[in-house]
């Protein structure tokens, strides 16, 4: 066969391979040999014809064996001029001891469909010299004169990576927030191939153990793991943050973030890569973070220390008008903005001024999470009426006390708005509009009909008889005492 024919046949094979329509998809499950040496591996191989393996379920566990990783391969077959492809996935098992073991009936889900195998018995004997040669037929071996190929050898590449938990503070006050994050770090010079392995499932298990029970959590809700370039001790790393939250402790004491395990898929690579077949083998590696401790300090003595918010806050007030008439209402917005637990911010304290009426406020809040901080605003929108003319300073009516952890002291936010009120005094009118309570509340609801006199007559007789009986009983007791 001359060179031109070989080239034409090669192009024909390639075009036929990529234009092949999906015909019948046959799935074959092949099990390893009945007998292996202690230094050999057993395998379960699933082969899918004329389609790619897009998804697969976990392979079964075998008592006495340890899973060693998964490899995938693709091959092409030519029979009577027809080109077909096969895709295989292989799970390797390493025996842990000699003996007879049983692989029971099992099923594997491939591309959403379950396929079953009856299993088999496996005998593990003493270690023996390994002389393993691949029997896989590759149609290009004939074209390029390499009929016999050795099965690839996979080696583990040394990695430059770690998993870490971090907290942004060593100690906080009760109610003060601290940030916790979990991230996988890989240096820019790392050569070992990694892939995330079920991060959602791992996080669910981690958070059950990690979350403090005596703290409020504000989760940053990371949905996509994005790379971020960081520099640590002069070295460049790629950071993959998998979790971040800010916690606000309720009580003093010590909070511990335990050591956390994180599993990654780490691939072994072929020692002698080839153009065809798989050049890497799936394996796993578990990383561990170090334990972290945090001290929670009590707030200084204060009459309201169990009620105040903790954080760095400012007042942002908004008012519709600084001019008002007596008896007419207007809106006033008391907004608290800053860094802290916005959810826990309570309404400002109000001092009752006779000439000013305050109604319950409408509340609106907005929370922003970013750069490891919880910031936001909580607004209390009041409807106010003033009954006396003159100047009214809202600072005499509203105040909001909080604890500033940066300055380690209590502070108070007070309004600066002054309202100029004109018109006649409405104080008396305001009093008359108030509920008088007691008997006056019953005037509108009680019946104005006379009660039925017969019931009143019988009741009077009953009371009189009761009094007479009491007198007689008392006289009898006195006479007995005198006779005694």
């Amino acid at each position: 066969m001359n060179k031109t024919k070989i080239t034409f046949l090669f192009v024909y094979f390639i075009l036929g391979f990529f234009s092949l329509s999906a015909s019948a998809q046959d799935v074959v499950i092949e099990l390893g040999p009945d007998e292996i040496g202690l230094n050999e591996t057993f395998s379960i191989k699933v082969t899918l014809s004329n389609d790619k393996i897009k998804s697969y379920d976990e392979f079964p566990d075998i008592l006495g064996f340890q899973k060693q990783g998964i490899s995938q391969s693709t091959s092409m077959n030519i029979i009577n001029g027809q080109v077909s492809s096969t895709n295989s996935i292989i799970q390797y098992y390493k025996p842990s001891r000699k003996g007879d073991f049983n692989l029971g009936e099992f099923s594997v889900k491939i591309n959403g469909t379950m396929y079953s195998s009856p299993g088999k018995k496996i005998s593990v004997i003493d270690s023996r010299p390994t002389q393993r040669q691949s029997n896989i037929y590759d149609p290009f071996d004939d074209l390029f004169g390499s009929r016999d190929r050795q099965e690839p050898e996979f080696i583990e590449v040394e990695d430059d990576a770690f998993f870490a938990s971090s907290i942004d503070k060593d100690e906080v006050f009760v109610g003060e927030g601290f940030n916790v994050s979990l991230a996988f770090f890989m240096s820019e010079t790392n050569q070992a191939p990694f892939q995330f392995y079920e991060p959602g499932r791992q996080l669910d298990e981690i958070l059950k153990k990690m979350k403090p029970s005596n703290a409020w959590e504000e989760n940053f809700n990371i949905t996509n793991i994005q790379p971020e370039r960081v520099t640590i001790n002069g070295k460049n790393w790629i950071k993959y943050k998998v979790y971040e939250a800010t916690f606000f402790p309720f009580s003093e004491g010590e909070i511990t973030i335990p050591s956390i395990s994180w599993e990654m898929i780490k691939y072994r690579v072929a020692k002698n890569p080839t153009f065809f077949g798989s050049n890497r083998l799936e394996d796993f590696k578990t990383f561990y973070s170090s334990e972290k401790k945090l001290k929670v300090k009590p707030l200084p003595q204060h009459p309201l220390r169990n009620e105040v918010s903790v954080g760095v806050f400012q007042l942002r007030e908004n008012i519709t008008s600084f001019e008002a008439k007596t008896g007419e209402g207007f809106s006033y917005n008391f907004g608290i903005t800053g860094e802290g637990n916005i959810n826990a911010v309570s309404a400002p304290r109000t001092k009752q001024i006779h000439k000013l009426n305050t109604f319950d406020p409408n509340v609106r809040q907005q929370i922003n999470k970013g750069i490891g901080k919880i910031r936001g605003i909580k607004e209390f929108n009041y409807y106010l009426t003033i009954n006396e003319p003159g100047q009214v300073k809202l600072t005499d009516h509203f105040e909001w006390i909080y604890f500033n952890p940066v300055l380690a002291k209590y502070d108070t936010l007070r309004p600066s708005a002054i309202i100029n009120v004109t018109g006649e005094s409405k104080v008396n009118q305001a009093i008359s509009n108030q509920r008088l309570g007691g008997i006056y509340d019953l005037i509108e609801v009680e019946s104005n009909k006379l009660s039925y006199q017969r019931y009143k007559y019988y009741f009077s007789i009953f009371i009189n008889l009761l009094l007479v009986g009491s007198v007689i009983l008392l006289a009898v007791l006195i006479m007995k005492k005198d006779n005694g």
Side-chain angles (χ1 to χ4, degrees):
M1 185 178 291
N2 57 35
K3 183 177 181 180
T4 303
K5 288 184 178 180
I6 292 176
T7 302
F8 175 79
L9 183 59
F10 177 82
V11 174
Y12 174 80
F13 288 163
I14 294 298
L15 293 175
F17 174 74
F18 287 103
S19 63
L20 181 67
S21 60
S23 56
Q25 299 179 5
D26 298 326
V27 173
V28 177
I29 299 179
E30 300 178 50
L31 305 180
D34 298 340
E35 183 181 272
I36 61 172
L38 190 59
N39 60 335
E40 296 177 329
T41 58
F42 181 80
S43 65
I44 299 177
K45 179 179 180 181
V46 179
T47 302
L48 178 62
S49 301
N50 300 319
D51 196 4
K52 293 182 178 180
I53 296 179
K54 306 178 185 68
S55 64
Y56 59 90
D57 204 353
E58 289 190 10
F59 283 76
D61 294 323
I62 305 177
L63 183 64
F65 289 77
Q66 294 180 342
K67 290 182 178 178
Q68 288 295 292
I70 292 177
S71 68
Q72 295 190 44
S73 63
T74 302
S75 64
M76 184 173 58
N77 299 314
I78 306 171
I79 302 175
N80 298 327
Q82 297 295 321
V83 182
S84 63
S85 66
T86 59
N87 289 268
S88 300
I89 182 168
I90 307 171
Q91 172 71 67
Y92 295 96
Y93 297 83
K94 181 180 179 181
S96 57
R97 62 182 186 274
K98 295 189 298 180
D100 294 329
F101 304 93
N102 181 53
L103 170 59
E105 182 179 355
F106 66 92
S107 297
V108 178
K109 183 183 288 187
I110 304 295
N111 293 349
T113 304
M114 298 296 295
Y115 299 94
S116 60
S117 171
K120 69 184 310 180
K121 293 187 180 298
I122 311 166
S123 295
V124 180
I125 60 175
D126 290 325
S127 299
R128 56 191 180 190
T130 56
Q131 295 181 351
R132 302 172 60 191
Q133 291 186 351
S134 173
N135 295 322
I136 301 175
Y137 173 69
D138 192 328
F140 290 97
D141 289 344
D142 287 338
L143 295 178
F144 300 105
S146 179
R147 181 64 183 270
D148 296 324
R149 292 188 293 112
Q150 207 171 30
E151 188 172 313
E153 179 183 354
F154 295 95
I155 59 174
E156 183 175 353
V157 179
E158 185 176 356
D159 60 75
D160 191 8
F162 66 94
F163 182 76
S165 63
S166 62
I167 54 178
D168 63 341
K169 300 172 184 176
D170 295 326
E171 61 178 22
V172 294
F173 286 99
V174 172
E176 180 185 359
F178 64 94
N179 184 268
V180 177
S181 66
L182 305 176
F184 179 73
F185 294 82
M186 188 167 59
S187 74
E188 289 188 340
T189 58
N190 174 71
Q191 298 296 318
F194 283 104
Q195 183 175 321
F196 283 95
Y197 175 66
E198 299 183 355
R201 180 191 61 80
Q202 291 195 72
L203 273 178
D204 287 342
E205 296 298 323
I206 288 172
L207 297 183
K208 291 176 183 177
K209 304 174 184 177
M210 190 198 77
K211 283 184 180 179
S213 59
N214 62 333
W216 173 268
E217 178 197 20
E218 285 287 351
N219 196 320
F220 282 55
N221 297 317
I222 296 175
T223 55
N224 294 314
I225 302 176
Q226 299 292 338
E228 175 187 355
R229 190 175 183 270
V230 297
T231 301
I232 303 175
N233 297 328
K235 185 176 180 179
N236 294 329
W237 298 81
I238 305 299
K239 178 181 179 181
Y240 298 90
K241 190 182 296 182
V242 298
Y243 172 79
E244 184 176 13
T246 294
F247 292 95
F248 299 91
F250 300 137
S251 57
E252 61 183 287
E254 187 177 70
I255 292 178
T256 300
I257 305 298
S259 174
I260 297 167
S261 62
W262 184 261
E263 193 173 24
M264 295 287 292
I265 298 175
K266 180 183 178 182
Y267 293 96
R268 298 182 186 181
V269 298
K271 188 175 182 180
N272 299 305
T274 61
F275 181 74
F276 300 100
S278 174
N279 287 318
R280 63 182 190 176
L281 176 66
E282 184 179 281
D283 204 348
F284 296 90
K285 181 173 181 177
T286 302
F287 295 86
Y288 297 89
S289 68
S290 58
E291 183 182 83
K292 300 286 191 302
K293 291 184 179 295
L294 179 88
K295 180 182 178 182
V296 183
K297 303 178 293 184
L299 296 181
Q301 288 294 331
H302 190 278
L304 300 175
R305 76 170 183 171
N306 295 325
E307 302 176 24
V308 298
S309 294
V310 179
V312 180
F313 298 103
Q314 303 84 37
L315 173 61
R316 192 172 78 180
E317 54 182 332
N318 186 22
I319 190 169
T320 55
S321 175
F322 291 95
E323 304 290 333
K325 291 185 178 181
T326 55
E328 294 184 0
F330 62 95
S331 294
Y332 172 70
N333 188 288
F334 191 102
I336 300 166
T337 180
E339 179 184 332
N341 188 358
I342 303 299
N343 277 300
V345 169
S346 57
R349 293 162 58 90
T350 57
K351 302 175 184 177
Q352 296 302 322
I353 302 177
H354 184 61
K355 59 184 178 181
L356 187 147
N357 295 324
T358 305
F359 299 90
D360 291 339
N362 294 321
V363 182
R364 186 187 73 88
Q365 74 177 25
Q366 178 180 335
I367 299 176
N368 301 318
K369 304 173 185 178
I371 321 177
K373 305 292 183 182
I374 300 294
R375 298 181 176 89
I377 183 171
K378 197 162 191 175
E379 296 177 330
F380 301 90
N381 193 25
Y382 290 90
Y383 183 77
L384 308 177
T385 59
I386 300 177
N387 302 316
E388 285 279 0
Q391 281 193 341
V392 176
K393 297 179 181 180
L394 295 186
T395 187
D396 297 332
H397 185 69
F398 294 98
E399 67 175 15
W400 191 74
I401 303 172
Y402 71 101
F403 181 79
N404 188 324
V406 177
L407 303 177
K409 68 176 186 179
Y410 294 91
D411 202 351
T412 304
L413 300 180
R414 292 186 176 92
S416 60
I418 299 176
I419 313 301
N420 294 314
V421 185
T422 59
E424 298 179 355
S425 175
K426 304 288 186 179
V427 173
N428 294 332
Q429 181 180 343
I431 295 175
S432 65
N433 289 334
Q434 294 178 354
R435 294 172 64 249
L436 298 178
I439 189 171
Y440 298 98
D441 288 339
L442 302 177
I443 292 176
E444 296 297 328
V445 297
E446 286 295 316
S447 173
N448 59 1
K449 294 182 180 180
L450 295 174
S451 60
Y452 196 35
Q453 295 299 320
R454 179 182 300 175
Y455 295 117
K456 184 177 179 181
Y457 173 76
Y458 290 143
F459 183 76
S460 299
I461 293 177
F462 174 75
I463 293 298
N464 291 331
L465 291 175
L466 185 61
L467 290 173
V468 171
S470 300
V471 172
I472 295 173
L473 179 61
L474 181 61
V476 170
L477 292 175
I478 293 173
M479 290 175 63
K480 286 187 176 181
K481 183 177 181 181
D482 292 339
N483 293 333

